[in-house]
């Protein structure tokens, strides 16, 4: 069911293009705003249908407005992503071949890590095994700074994690590249990096930190949803959605 | 149509002659600005050899390329487009461009504009009406756009051309001294005379017979199609606590019926 695209859809799409990523509250406000400007009927709970109309027209361009969750705050975001593996996608046009190689090595470290992060030491060391033109330590550090500035990675106390935008944009790529080696959240079924793991060796399911918070809210004794063993990890608080943030 | 720079330009718009080597020319000959538009017949034959999926894929790549470049406000050069994206599909180039233009129009509300018919440079401009008033979400603010807007305003208020010394003085009063490293812009002069000029927002031209050499600023091609002159007056009005109409000459200029094909009411995206 895809309606025709109107100016309200186009304006919404342009807003997504200008902002890259918008939080759920912001997206709702933009949707309302676009409908009002163009005198289009606005049904507050039909945002996803509205976006679906846009997506049906973006599909031939291998573009998509996807929804994803911040692994830190649990906030939902919409991001305009590129699904084509061609040489013109945003990241490949901004970074050199050897820089992309280092990014892929960082991705490896993060995917295979327990906590979904990679230390700057490990990343700097991984530059030693590069097959494209090697990066010096200082160049690697500069590249990492740039990746953070361009909102592909987050950095906290020398540890690097994938940004929400990166996860949303690269999910199909990551699933293809890593297949069943990438962790998947048992609750929301999306790929998971920063998550808790069931300690039962025959179970080992993963749950995002915010998904843990939501799932166990109000439950007296937390138990694994798959094997029912006691869930030993600290249950985080459910965080309320903040307004527009850049993660 | 030859677009070789050494020859005098005899082309506006797209003539589709095949007076020179067509798609059978060697790679080296075609690998620069000497791209020749294929004829309708050649396009037709080319399409017959390709599947719809292949043509769609190539169109998608062209659309992506435009969007990525345009986001950085870099005009798209036809020669680069053909060399890096269109490649072996150059024999159906007009068909791909037609489809890309239709996509920009119908899906994105954007228009592909050839701002330089001689060198075949394109930009994307907004077809949707600019909206005054606050946006429902805070756009990531680019301070450079603020700087640019001030300069465009100065040029406009001074009748369309202004000596660089005037601009530098005004910027200095606003805290942007081109003699010093600026906290936000770094080398501010470089941003203005290189970046903004490359992006076609400004023109920076030598004034003949000046010693030491002095330049003047004008609006660039992108500013002409993207920036709304009534908005400049609103900006100036807000700055000075005056009505836009109080600058009667500029007001008339801003609200003059456009004689070019593009109505100058597109705003910066």
């Amino acid at each position: 069911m895809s309606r025709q695209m109107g100016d309200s859809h186009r304006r919404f799409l342009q807003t997504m293009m200008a902002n890259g990523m918008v939080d759920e509250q912001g997206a709702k406000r933009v949707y309302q705003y676009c409908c009002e400007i163009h005198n289009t009927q606005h049904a507050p709970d039909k945002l996803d249908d509205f976006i679906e109309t846009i997506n049906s027209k973006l599909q031939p361009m291998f573009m998509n407005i996807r929804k994803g969750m911040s692994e830190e705050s649990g906030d939902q975001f919409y991001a305009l992503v590129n699904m084509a593996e061609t040489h013109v996608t945003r990241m490949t046009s901004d970074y050199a071949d050897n820089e992309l190689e280092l990014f892929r090595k960082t991705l490896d470290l993060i995917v295979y890590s327990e906590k979904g992060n990679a230390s700057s030491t490990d990343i700097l060391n991984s530059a030693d095994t590069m097959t494209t033109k090697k990066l010096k330590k200082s160049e690697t550090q500069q590249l990492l700074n740039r990746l953070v500035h361009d909102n592909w990675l987050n950095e906290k106390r020398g540890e690097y994690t994938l940004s929400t935008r990166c996860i949303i944009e690269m999910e199909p790529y990551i699933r293809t590249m890593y297949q069943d080696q990438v962790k998947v959240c048992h609750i929301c079924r999306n790929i998971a990096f920063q998550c808790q793991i069931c300690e039962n060796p025959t179970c080992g399911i993963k749950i995002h930190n915010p998904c843990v918070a939501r799932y166990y809210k109000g439950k007296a004794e937390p138990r694994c949803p798959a094997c029912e063993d006691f869930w030993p990890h600290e249950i985080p608080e459910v965080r309320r959605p903040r307004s527009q943030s850049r993660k | 149509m030859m677009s070789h720079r050494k020859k005098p330009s005899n082309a506006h718009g797209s003539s589709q002659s095949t007076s020179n080597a067509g798609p059978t020319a060697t790679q080296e000959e075609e690998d620069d600005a000497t791209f020749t538009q294929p004829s309708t017949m050649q396009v037709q034959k080319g399409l017959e050899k390709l599947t719809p999926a292949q043509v769609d894929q190539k169109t998608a790549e062209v659309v992506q390329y435009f969007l990525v470049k345009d986001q950085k406000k870099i005009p798209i050069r036809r020669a680069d487009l053909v060399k890096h994206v269109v490649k072996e599909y150059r024999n159906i180039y007009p068909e791909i461009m037609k489809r890309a233009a239709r996509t920009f129009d119908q899906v994105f509300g954007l228009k592909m504009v050839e701002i330089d018919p001689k060198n075949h440079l394109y930009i994307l401009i907004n077809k949707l009406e600019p909206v005054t008033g606050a946006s429902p979400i805070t756009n990531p603010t680019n301070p450079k756009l603020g700087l640019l807007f001030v300069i465009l305003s100065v040029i406009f208020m001074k009748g369309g051309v202004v000596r660089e010394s005037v601009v530098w003085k005004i910027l200095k009063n606003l805290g942007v001294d081109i003699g010093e490293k600026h906290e936000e812009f770094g080398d501010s002069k470089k941003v203005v005379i290189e970046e903004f000029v490359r992006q076609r927002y400004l023109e920076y031209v030598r004034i003949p017979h000046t010693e030491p050499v002095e330049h003047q600023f004008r609006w660039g091609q992108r500013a002409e199609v993207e920036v709304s002159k009534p908005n400049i007056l609103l900006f100036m009005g807000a700055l000075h606590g005056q009505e836009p109409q109080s600058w009667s000459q500029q007001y008339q200029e801003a609200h003059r019926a456009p004689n070019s094909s593009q109505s100058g009411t597109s705003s910066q995206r």
Side-chain angles (χ1 to χ4, degrees):
Chain A
M1 70 121 311
S2 56
R3 285 169 37 214
Q4 281 307 307
M5 262 191 91
D7 279 349
S8 57
H9 297 93
R10 296 180 188 110
R11 192 175 289 274
F12 187 91
L13 177 55
Q14 286 187 11
T15 308
M16 290 304 300
M17 280 165 58
N19 289 274
M21 198 168 72
V22 175
D23 68 5
E24 192 170 24
Q25 307 297 337
K28 287 182 175 156
R29 287 198 301 273
V30 175
Y31 166 46
Q32 184 176 1
Y33 178 76
C34 292
C35 289
E36 279 168 9
I37 295 178
H38 295 286
N39 294 317
T40 315
Q41 196 169 36
H42 165 251
D45 55 339
K46 295 280 187 208
L47 172 59
D48 284 336
D49 286 349
F50 184 80
I51 290 178
E52 188 44 47
T53 303
I54 300 173
N55 278 338
S56 68
K57 299 291 187 272
L58 286 177
Q59 200 248 342
M61 252 89 52
F62 308 100
M63 290 168 70
N64 198 268
I65 297 175
R66 298 186 71 213
K67 201 168 173 180
M69 180 187 77
S70 159
E71 292 195 323
E72 269 136 51
S73 66
D75 292 343
Q76 295 286 335
F77 288 86
Y78 290 92
L80 179 62
V81 305
N82 214 313
M83 315 212 292
E85 283 288 325
T86 68
H87 61 285
V88 273
T89 56
R90 199 189 343 243
M91 203 180 186
T92 50
S93 74
D94 286 342
Y95 294 89
D97 282 345
N98 59 346
E99 293 175 328
L100 291 172
E101 191 195 353
L102 194 97
F103 178 76
R104 283 193 295 271
K105 283 186 177 296
T106 306
L107 196 53
D108 275 355
L109 288 168
I110 290 175
V111 170
Y112 295 123
S113 75
E114 201 187 298
K115 290 196 166 53
N117 57 13
S119 69
S120 59
T121 317
D122 288 344
I123 299 171
L124 288 164
N125 287 338
S126 73
D128 295 338
T129 54
M130 284 175 70
T131 56
T132 54
K133 181 173 167 214
K134 283 206 176 15
L135 288 166
K136 294 195 280 248
K137 293 276 187 280
S138 59
E139 288 172 326
T140 307
Q141 187 55 58
Q142 269 180 346
L143 172 60
L144 286 173
N145 295 343
R146 227 177 109 203
L147 286 163
V148 171
H149 179 264
D150 291 348
N151 201 21
W152 294 105
L153 297 176
N154 292 332
E155 185 269 337
K156 194 148 82 176
R157 292 193 279 266
E159 295 288 331
Y160 290 87
T161 50
L162 299 181
S163 72
T164 305
R165 181 264 192 121
C166 182
I167 295 173
I168 297 178
E169 185 144 353
M170 297 208 175
E171 169 153 359
Y173 171 79
I174 291 172
R175 279 196 195 257
T176 310
M177 286 299 291
Y178 296 96
Q179 301 199 356
D180 39 345
Q181 290 161 325
V182 70
K183 301 195 260 304
V184 174
C185 175
H186 184 84
I187 302 292
C188 72
R189 304 295 174 190
N190 289 317
I191 56 177
F193 299 96
Q194 297 179 69
C195 52
Q196 298 181 353
I197 305 178
C198 176
E199 302 218 322
N200 180 347
T202 62
C203 178
I205 61 148
K206 292 95 183 161
I207 307 181
H208 286 119
N209 294 327
C211 294
V212 167
R214 281 191 272 255
Y215 182 73
Y216 290 116
K217 184 177 172 190
K219 289 198 170 75
E221 200 181 285
R223 294 202 159 269
C224 172
C227 71
E228 301 204 347
D229 265 20
F230 180 69
W231 192 264
H233 308 286
E234 191 187 323
I235 311 295
E237 291 280 308
V238 174
R239 284 163 70 164
R240 321 195 70 211
R242 289 171 296 165
S243 52
Q244 183 73 351
S245 60
R246 276 241 16 169
K247 291 217 171 208
Chain B
M1 174 179 72
M2 288 288 283
S3 54
H4 202 284
R5 279 182 218 110
K6 294 199 182 81
K7 294 202 170 142
S9 166
N10 59 356
H12 285 291
S14 53
S15 63
Q16 302 208 352
S17 70
T18 49
S19 51
N20 292 61
T24 51
T26 59
Q27 194 59 38
E28 295 86 64
E29 284 176 55
E30 295 210 307
D31 228 340
D32 62 339
T34 57
F35 168 70
T36 34
Q37 287 270 26
S39 71
T40 323
M41 270 283 286
Q42 285 167 318
V43 172
Q44 208 46 42
K45 285 177 85 172
L47 281 170
E48 281 164 22
K49 297 199 180 108
L50 298 164
T51 65
Q54 283 172 310
V55 181
D56 284 345
Q57 164 84 26
K58 194 48 74 173
T59 306
E61 288 174 21
V62 167
V63 167
Q64 299 260 10
Y65 185 82
F66 261 84
L67 290 174
V68 167
K69 289 274 187 203
D70 193 71
Q71 194 172 53
K72 301 186 187 126
K73 300 300 176 192
I74 303 173
I76 292 97
R77 200 174 285 279
R78 186 176 78 175
D80 291 339
L81 184 64
V82 171
K83 181 174 175 182
H84 298 299
V85 187
V86 179
K87 296 194 216 178
E88 71 275 18
Y89 286 65
R90 64 188 71 208
N91 57 337
I92 57 160
Y93 173 84
E95 180 62 25
I96 294 177
M97 287 300 268
K98 194 171 96 182
R99 293 183 190 207
R102 189 164 62 216
T103 302
F104 285 126
D105 175 40
Q106 290 178 356
V107 180
F108 295 91
L110 300 173
K111 188 170 166 179
M112 226 160 59
V113 175
E114 192 173 31
I115 55 169
D116 187 342
K118 193 171 122 188
N119 297 309
H120 304 291
L121 289 176
Y122 295 90
I123 60 169
L124 294 174
I125 60 168
N126 202 342
K127 287 187 67 178
L128 300 180
E129 283 296 306
V131 180
T132 49
S135 164
I137 52 172
T138 46
N139 290 324
T141 43
N142 183 353
K144 283 182 187 168
L145 286 183
L147 177 68
L148 172 67
F149 208 69
V150 166
I151 299 172
L152 289 175
S153 305
V154 170
I155 299 170
F156 177 66
M157 297 307 284
K158 297 271 186 202
V161 62
V162 75
R163 297 177 86 98
E164 63 177 311
S165 50
V166 173
V167 170
W168 306 139
K169 181 149 179 268
I170 291 177
L171 290 186
K172 189 167 179 183
N173 288 343
L174 294 172
V176 181
D177 187 338
I178 54 164
E180 292 171 4
K181 185 168 178 210
H182 189 264
E183 192 190 304
E184 180 68 51
F185 308 125
D187 184 344
S188 338
K189 187 172 181 185
K190 192 170 170 186
V191 170
V192 177
I193 68 170
E194 285 185 18
E195 198 174 317
F196 290 160
V197 172
R198 186 177 56 234
Q199 292 171 336
R200 302 300 200 276
Y201 279 117
L202 295 176
E203 275 177 21
Y204 181 68
V205 180
R206 255 190 81 166
I207 306 170
H209 314 300
T210 48
E211 191 61 47
V213 175
E214 221 194 328
H215 300 77
Q216 57 195 22
F217 283 106
R218 286 176 196 271
W219 280 35
Q221 296 150 311
R222 187 189 289 277
E224 288 291 347
V225 293
E226 266 192 26
V227 180
S228 135
K229 290 176 175 156
N231 273 355
I232 298 265
L233 280 178
L234 281 171
F235 172 68
M236 293 300 292
L239 207 59
H240 294 281
Q242 290 173 240
E243 288 295 314
Q245 291 90 325
S246 64
W247 292 282
S248 51
Q249 203 173 353
Q250 288 87 344
Y251 189 81
Q252 272 179 36
E253 167 65 29
H255 291 271
R256 193 162 55 101
N259 46 19
S260 62
S261 54
Q262 179 55 34
S263 77
T265 53
S266 318
S267 66
Q268 289 166 288
R269 274 183 287 123

